[in-house]
Amino acid sequence: MVPKWMSRSLGGVTDPVSETKLDMKILRTILAVVGKGCLAASFNCVVLYTSELYPTVIRQTGLGLSNTMACLGSILAPLVKMLEEYIPFLPLIIYGAAPIISGIAATFLPETLNVPLPETIEELETRHLRDEEQ
């Protein structure tokens, strides 16, 4: 299984490279497929990991918020592409930096492997405090 930070970061690295005007069509195709695959894997990580982070009492609200943010990104992506008319390299920077930044941010999320799901907000807070003390 690909770590969550790696799928986001690889998606950010390969997408701008695949959009450059290279004559090597095979390389562009490979980078585009790898980039899109990593972005799809990161979306699956968001769905699975979000359900493990939120306590039971607000889990559905958290999943709804995460889905809303994912849809907002889908809505804004074509608009970012339109910025190419004004600053030609800006969409490549945005499309490349966003996944890399999210991959770095994902490294700071807590590990949930073999950890019981939190039932209440208080349980989540005490777990967080206990992790800070260690």
Side-chain angles (χ1 to χ4, degrees):
M1 183 172 154
V2 177
K4 58 186 172 290
W5 64 268
M6 188 182 296
S7 63
R8 290 187 184 105
S9 298
L10 285 176
V13 170
T14 58
D15 277 348
V17 174
S18 68
E19 294 294 326
T20 59
K21 308 263 187 285
L22 295 175
D23 290 334
M24 299 178 282
K25 292 182 179 183
I26 295 174
L27 178 63
R28 287 180 62 191
T29 302
I30 290 171
L31 289 175
V33 168
V34 169
K36 300 304 179 189
C38 290
L39 292 174
S42 70
F43 183 75
N44 287 336
C45 289
V46 167
V47 172
L48 295 173
Y49 196 69
T50 301
S51 64
E52 295 178 356
L53 279 180
Y54 290 110
T56 303
V57 293
I58 60 169
R59 188 165 294 137
Q60 292 303 318
T61 304
L63 283 169
L65 178 65
S66 297
N67 253 348
T68 302
M69 293 299 116
C71 290
L72 183 64
S74 299
I75 291 169
L76 292 177
L79 299 176
V80 170
K81 180 72 173 156
M82 290 170 50
L83 290 173
E84 190 174 42
E85 293 179 20
Y86 304 105
I87 305 173
F89 59 87
L90 189 59
L92 297 177
I93 291 173
I94 293 172
Y95 290 145
I100 291 171
I101 291 169
S102 68
I104 292 169
T107 61
F108 296 105
L109 293 172
E111 180 60 54
T112 59
L113 181 66
N114 297 327
V115 176
L117 295 178
E119 296 291 330
T120 63
I121 297 173
E122 292 80 20
E123 184 180 332
L124 184 66
E125 289 173 347
T126 57
R127 181 185 303 168
H128 178 67
L129 294 174
R130 186 176 57 232
D131 289 344
E132 283 183 355
E133 291 174 359
Q134 294 175 355

